[in-house]
Amino acid sequence: MKHLLSLESLSALDMRAILDRVPEFKLHRRLHARPLTGHTWALIFSKSSTRTRVSFEVGLRELGAQVLFLSAADIQLGRGEPIQDTARVLGSMVHGAIIRTFAQADVDAFASFSLIPTVNALTDQEHPCQILTDIFTFEELTGESIEGKIVTFVGDGACNVPTSWIFAAARLGFELRIAAPRQFWPDPELLRRAGAQEDYRWDLRPTGITERFTVGAGIVELMVDCQLAARNADLLYTDVWVSMGKEAEAEDRLRLLSGYQINDSLVALARPNALVMHCLPAYRGKEIDGATLEQHAKTIFTQAENRLHVQKAIIAWMTS
Ligand code: CP
Ligand code: NVA
């Protein structure tokens, strides 16, 4: 049985197997066969969502399945029923599950107890469907492989989105630069898990240092200076400064991350024709300047639309 629980647990071969099938779903959106006819899939969400919810609901229906949206607040899970019990009950009734929640361990436990194909639709640790979509979108819009390219992530370098980017870099062989204040750098343990040989202890380093690691087939660079990180980048990428679940830290985060905005002067440092992406929702004037977002709206909203096509390819890969 196949699951998509994280990019950490996905091989380069499987990433390519998914990405290779996306054009089939995008080009033949309504003509495609309906392989999930007779299936019912559950979406179990403990956090808000626009793109992920709608793209999975529409995508599953277009593949022939019926869909149940279960807000965690409305089922017994929200009142403390263990995930293992929820998983065993749903596993006996539905054919697959899409889960958005806090702890990665809950998605992993759901997959092992339910015995049905399970997709991570965002946890505090990873957002694998988003980053597979971003890579598809980069390759679609540039006509080039992401291998060997420079991707610069600017902002909260310790949240789920850059973490999935780290594992993507390790598998697909590109350079990922993360520009963030040091308290928003990814955990050293994470880089070790991605394959970094060298240890790092940022508490022992002077401010301003760049750390460079070989991780699997790729490279990860951690930087404090976002202008340095933007130089010659093929893709500039950002995400919200206050991820879901971090609302209590909002004031500190807005202050500490205020220099880490994608704007015209940062874009000017990247390669000519560099792409600018945002996983959305966007907070204009915070992680991205409003005018820059509008200049790159075609890329950013193609990225959003592609969630639908990529996730259909993910489901097809899991169920075929
Ligand atoms: N990018 C993304 O996952 O958006 P939603 O939170 O709206 O699903
Ligand atoms: N890092 C963000 C991503 C939103 C799609 C969050 O977890 O809220």
Side-chain angles (χ1 to χ4, degrees):
M1 165 143 343
K2 287 190 201 133
H3 305 290
L4 180 59
L5 303 178
S6 60
L7 293 193
E8 179 170 8
S9 59
L10 200 65
S11 68
L13 219 59
D14 284 336
M15 287 186 196
R16 281 291 166 207
I18 293 167
L19 294 171
D20 287 350
R21 289 201 64 183
V22 182
E24 169 195 331
F25 289 101
K26 186 161 184 175
L27 291 171
H28 307 293
R29 179 168 170 197
R30 287 181 186 82
L31 298 175
H32 199 276
R34 297 161 71 84
L36 300 189
T37 301
H39 275 214
T40 301
W41 282 57
L43 273 73
I44 308 160
F45 278 41
S46 305
K47 293 176 174 173
S48 305
S49 173
T50 300
R51 281 143 288 271
T52 308
R53 176 179 175 175
V54 175
S55 54
F56 269 114
E57 287 207 30
V58 171
L60 282 160
R61 287 196 181 108
E62 289 181 357
L63 291 172
Q66 308 228 35
V67 183
L68 292 174
F69 181 80
L70 304 172
S71 160
D74 295 336
I75 58 174
Q76 298 289 6
L77 184 66
R79 297 180 68 242
E81 183 168 17
I83 191 78
Q84 296 91 324
D85 296 353
T86 308
R88 281 178 283 194
V89 172
L90 288 182
S92 70
M93 298 182 190
V94 301
H95 300 87
I98 313 294
I99 306 187
R100 169 168 285 202
T101 191
F102 295 86
Q104 179 71 29
D106 284 348
V107 178
D108 297 345
F110 188 96
S112 50
F113 281 88
S114 68
L115 305 177
I116 53 173
T118 301
V119 178
N120 172 358
L122 182 146
T123 61
D124 289 347
Q125 280 71 35
E126 279 219 37
H127 198 358
C129 300
Q130 178 70 57
I131 279 57
L132 286 175
T133 303
D134 303 335
I135 291 165
F136 173 78
T137 307
F138 178 88
E139 296 189 339
E140 178 190 39
L141 295 182
T142 62
E144 292 181 31
S145 166
I146 199 158
E147 190 181 345
K149 296 291 191 290
I150 299 173
V151 176
T152 295
F153 179 94
V154 180
D156 175 7
C159 76
N160 41 19
V161 166
T163 299
S164 291
W165 271 112
I166 288 173
F167 290 106
R171 304 286 180 271
L172 299 181
F174 55 89
E175 180 173 325
L176 174 67
R177 299 175 182 164
I178 296 179
R182 286 191 303 176
Q183 59 271 54
F184 294 99
W185 280 10
D187 192 327
E189 169 58 23
L190 194 70
L191 290 165
R192 268 196 296 278
R193 293 208 320 254
Q197 298 297 320
E198 198 201 330
D199 210 358
Y200 91 89
R201 294 265 319 269
W202 56 257
D203 51 323
L204 298 180
R205 306 282 188 168
T207 311
I209 198 88
T210 296
E211 298 280 359
R212 187 179 166 92
F213 305 92
T214 302
V215 291
I219 288 167
V220 173
E221 289 194 332
L222 307 182
M223 301 178 179
V224 169
D225 183 344
C226 58
Q227 298 191 328
L228 192 63
R231 249 171 241 161
N232 295 323
D234 297 287
L235 168 61
L236 291 177
Y237 193 105
T238 192
D239 180 14
V240 296
W241 287 343
V242 184
S243 282
M244 292 179 279
K246 300 288 185 192
E247 292 77 6
E249 300 171 13
E251 202 179 311
D252 284 347
R253 285 172 167 264
L254 298 191
R255 182 171 45 80
L256 293 164
L257 288 162
S258 65
Y260 292 82
Q261 183 188 72
I262 296 190
N263 52 34
D264 282 357
S265 53
L266 207 65
V267 176
L269 298 170
R271 278 195 201 286
N273 302 323
L275 295 182
V276 173
M277 289 193 191
H278 192 312
C279 60
L280 301 175
Y283 292 85
R284 290 163 172 79
K286 304 273 191 315
E287 75 278 357
I288 190 160
D289 161 72
T292 308
L293 185 141
E294 292 306 333
Q295 273 155 27
H296 295 273
K298 191 166 178 297
T299 302
I300 290 168
F301 291 100
T302 298
Q303 188 190 351
E305 180 203 316
N306 282 342
R307 295 291 302 278
L308 170 67
H309 313 300
V310 172
Q311 288 162 191
K312 285 168 82 175
I314 290 171
I315 304 282
W317 167 80
M318 290 169 76
T319 53
S320 55

